[in-house]
Amino acid sequence: MLIDWFTVGAQVVNFLILVWLLKRFLYRPILDAIDAREKRIASELADAAARMAEAAAMRDDFDRKSEAFEQQRATLLKQATDAAKAERHRLMDEARQAAEALSAKRMQALNDEVHSLSQAIARRAQHEVFGIARKALTGLASASLEERMVEVFIGRLRDLDGHARENFARALEAASGAALVRSAFDLPPAQQGAVQQALGEIFGQEVHVSFQTAPDLVSGIEVTASGQRVAWSIANYLTSLEKNLGELLKVQSIPEVNAEPELDNSKSATKRL
Amino acid sequence: MHLSPDAVVFWQSGFVKLNATIAYTWGLMAVLAIGSKLVTRKLATGLQRSRWQNLLEIIVSGINKQIEEVGMAEPGKYIGFVGTLFLFVATATLFTIVPGYEPPTGSLSTTAALAICVFVAVPLFGIEAGGLREYLKAYLQPTVIMLPFNIISELSRTLALAIRLFGNMMSGTLILAILLTITPFIFPIAMSALGLLTGMVQAYIFSILATVYIAAATQVRKPEPASGEKH
């Protein structure tokens, strides 16, 4: 008999025990280990994917920020450039204005200087001429310069042409014979009398002369009556000298220095001698 | 000269006896259990693991895959039974390289015991999967007339399982024994290698057939999916 039934039973039991043993020691631990490893790998892959997503998100965020930063930088740079340009223009304008102001000031100062210089030259020239003339006249005659001037003035009065003489005579009449003699110096009583006498002789009427000292006449003498005037002074010579000097200084408009004071009268018959 | 290791009795007391079949089976059980215990004592769940753990993982996952390929949805449920069948038969063959060893599967008692286990396990798995009523209904498929044929089929395939394994294993051992008396040199080694091959093939056939029977018992009774979902 090939089959031993006790052995069959024993082998069935043995087999069942072996099933239990292998389940306990082989399949369950091995399958658990495989499952754990698969889970771990899956979790690691998921983790890696999450990290990659996170990294991508961070990269995107960074890109966005970088772009925004670039834009901001460009805007700021443009703003700064514009501001610098505007500031430059402003400064240039200011500088130009300041330069113009300075230039105008300098021009003004130059003009003032020229003006004062010409004034000084004129004054100096007056004094020099006066001094020279005085010296010359003193050397030529015993009479003082003033006496000679009065003589010259009287001589010129006598030499007045007919028309001028008539005009002045009318003016004297209109002023009831009152006339004003102005001179740059105090006339001594002898000369005052000579002038009064000469006026009476020339215009054929009694003339009441009042005398006044006016230093601005510059070694001159004038007689005024009712707006009419007859004058002589060395200011004429000074004026020509001044003109020459002015041309020398190339200054177009030099105000007249110590010129005869012009009376604001249309009927004025100024006669320069 | 004996046909079966059953004939080698070490100890006997009436009906109860300890023959070579039982003794070698115990030996195999000890080797399998202790070996598994030693390897799985320190299992690594990381990517680095020992060679023995690798080997066992390959074997276990290979068996699992085979069960899956037969069509079982939950291989973990059946690996205890099917896997043990395969490992026991394969190990019994593998140890034939040890001189003096006789495979317990060379005994008809052992193969009959394994076949009886399959014979009992198939309806148990079937009833567990679909219930007793559904399982019994399967014997009436496709018609009632087929009932006796179904029962005969059930019995005959169990018998075939036992005889096939026994015949192959016993013949291997027997041929080896005979050849040793005729040509003691070299030729028995080739035959021994051939025996190893046939033993492995038989282990595969035995376990895969048991899987197919279990699959047939568990899946036939499951409700058919909707026709639209069929592939």
Side-chain angles (χ1 to χ4, degrees):
Chain A
M1 183 65 184
L2 285 172
I3 292 181
D4 178 67
W5 289 108
F6 171 77
T7 309
V8 170
Q11 289 296 71
V12 167
V13 173
N14 281 340
F15 179 73
L16 292 177
I17 291 170
L18 185 62
V19 167
W20 181 82
L21 282 174
L22 289 187
K23 257 189 182 175
R24 169 89 172 70
F25 294 124
L26 182 63
Y27 308 123
R28 201 175 303 146
I30 292 286
L31 289 174
D32 285 353
I34 290 172
D35 284 351
R37 185 179 306 116
E38 279 176 355
K39 265 183 198 161
R40 184 169 155 173
I41 289 168
S43 76
E44 276 175 4
L45 285 175
D47 191 42
R51 274 166 196 271
M52 271 184 75
E54 194 183 350
M58 277 177 76
R59 194 197 55 208
D60 289 351
D61 191 40
F62 177 77
D63 283 352
R64 233 182 354 261
K65 275 183 182 166
S66 175
E67 200 177 331
F69 175 74
E70 282 295 324
Q71 278 181 357
Q72 198 180 6
R73 196 175 69 101
T75 311
L76 282 175
L77 194 64
K78 195 173 177 306
Q79 276 177 3
T81 311
D82 290 351
K85 252 185 207 165
E87 184 68 11
R88 191 171 69 105
H89 279 127
R90 196 182 65 75
L91 286 173
M92 288 288 280
D93 285 350
E94 264 183 13
R96 195 179 297 118
Q97 279 171 6
E100 278 170 2
L102 190 65
S103 167
K105 217 170 163 185
R106 282 180 63 189
M107 189 62 83
Q108 182 65 38
L110 193 62
N111 282 339
D112 289 352
E113 202 180 339
V114 167
H115 182 75
S116 62
L117 187 63
S118 56
Q119 273 187 342
I121 288 167
R123 262 195 303 279
R124 184 74 179 269
Q126 281 167 30
H127 287 114
E128 291 292 321
V129 166
F130 191 69
I132 291 164
R134 183 190 295 271
K135 250 184 211 172
L137 287 172
T138 308
L140 284 171
S142 58
S144 70
L145 178 60
E146 285 79 11
E147 282 174 87
R148 289 296 306 152
M149 284 172 71
V150 169
E151 281 172 26
V152 170
F153 179 62
I154 291 167
R156 290 311 173 202
L157 280 175
R158 288 182 201 283
D159 290 345
L160 278 176
D161 56 15
H163 182 66
R165 186 184 290 217
E166 280 171 21
N167 278 347
F168 200 77
R170 273 200 299 276
L172 276 174
E173 280 170 16
S176 311
L180 175 65
V181 171
R182 297 168 78 232
S183 61
F185 43 84
D186 288 334
L187 288 176
Q191 267 107 35
Q192 284 185 3
V195 168
Q196 194 163 2
Q197 193 186 346
L199 283 171
E201 284 172 8
I202 293 163
F203 299 107
Q205 56 186 297
E206 195 175 349
V207 181
H208 305 287
V209 182
S210 53
F211 292 92
Q212 196 179 7
T213 304
D216 61 335
L217 282 176
V218 189
S219 306
I221 186 165
E222 68 172 22
V223 58
T224 314
S226 186
Q228 290 285 343
R229 187 179 65 166
V230 175
W232 176 89
S233 81
I234 62 169
N236 295 331
Y237 306 118
L238 294 174
T239 305
S240 74
L241 175 65
E242 186 184 290
K243 268 185 187 165
N244 291 338
L245 287 171
E247 280 169 13
L248 193 67
L249 290 167
K250 296 193 176 177
V251 174
Q252 295 285 334
S253 57
I254 298 177
E256 286 192 344
V257 181
N258 286 337
E260 285 182 323
E262 297 277 340
L263 289 181
D264 200 13
N265 192 332
S266 58
K267 291 187 280 180
S268 169
T270 304
K271 171 128 183 164
R272 288 190 177 134
L273 302 176
Chain B
M1 187 73 213
H2 53 261
L3 274 178
S4 164
D6 286 4
V8 184
V9 178
F10 298 125
W11 174 84
Q12 187 164 14
S13 171
F15 184 64
V16 180
K17 58 189 161 192
L18 177 62
N19 52 31
T21 306
I22 297 171
Y24 287 132
T25 302
W26 285 353
L28 290 176
M29 283 166 65
V31 168
L32 282 172
I34 293 168
S36 299
K37 173 71 183 165
L38 285 176
V39 174
T40 58
R41 192 178 47 186
K42 286 184 287 181
L43 279 180
T45 54
L47 298 177
Q48 289 289 328
R49 49 197 186 270
S50 67
R51 293 176 184 177
W52 287 107
Q53 186 183 341
N54 256 346
L55 177 70
L56 290 193
E57 280 187 13
I58 288 165
I59 293 167
V60 171
S61 56
I63 296 167
N64 234 11
K65 203 176 165 192
Q66 283 298 324
I67 297 170
E68 257 183 343
E69 280 180 3
V70 168
M72 307 282 241
E74 299 169 38
K77 203 163 150 187
Y78 308 105
I79 192 172
F81 184 74
V82 177
T84 308
L85 275 179
F86 174 78
L87 284 179
F88 179 67
V89 178
T91 320
T93 309
L94 198 62
F95 274 81
T96 52
I97 57 173
V98 178
Y101 166 84
E102 282 188 49
T105 43
S107 148
L108 190 57
S109 304
T110 307
T111 57
L114 294 180
I116 287 165
C117 285
V118 174
F119 179 75
V120 174
V122 167
L124 283 181
F125 281 126
I127 291 163
E128 190 204 26
L132 179 63
R133 198 181 158 78
E134 286 294 318
Y135 175 73
L136 291 177
K137 251 190 192 173
Y139 284 99
L140 304 177
Q141 298 297 332
T143 59
V144 185
I145 306 164
M146 293 300 286
L147 176 64
F149 298 104
N150 278 332
I151 293 168
I152 291 167
S153 152
E154 202 83 1
L155 291 170
S156 65
R157 76 188 188 191
T158 305
L159 190 65
L161 270 180
I163 301 296
R164 185 189 301 113
L165 182 59
F166 163 71
N168 276 287
M169 297 316 292
M170 183 271 290
S171 65
T173 321
L174 209 58
I175 286 169
L176 206 60
I178 294 166
L179 279 175
L180 277 173
T181 58
I182 301 167
T183 54
F185 303 110
I186 300 172
F187 198 63
I189 296 171
M191 289 312 293
S192 182
L194 189 65
L196 278 175
L197 179 67
T198 48
M200 287 299 159
V201 170
Q202 287 309 312
Y204 176 74
I205 288 171
F206 197 97
S207 52
I208 209 76
L209 279 175
T211 314
V212 168
Y213 298 154
I214 293 167
T218 52
Q219 287 188 341
V220 165
R221 277 155 285 280
K222 283 189 178 169
E224 289 277 323
S227 57
E229 292 175 13
K230 276 185 177 173
H231 296 287

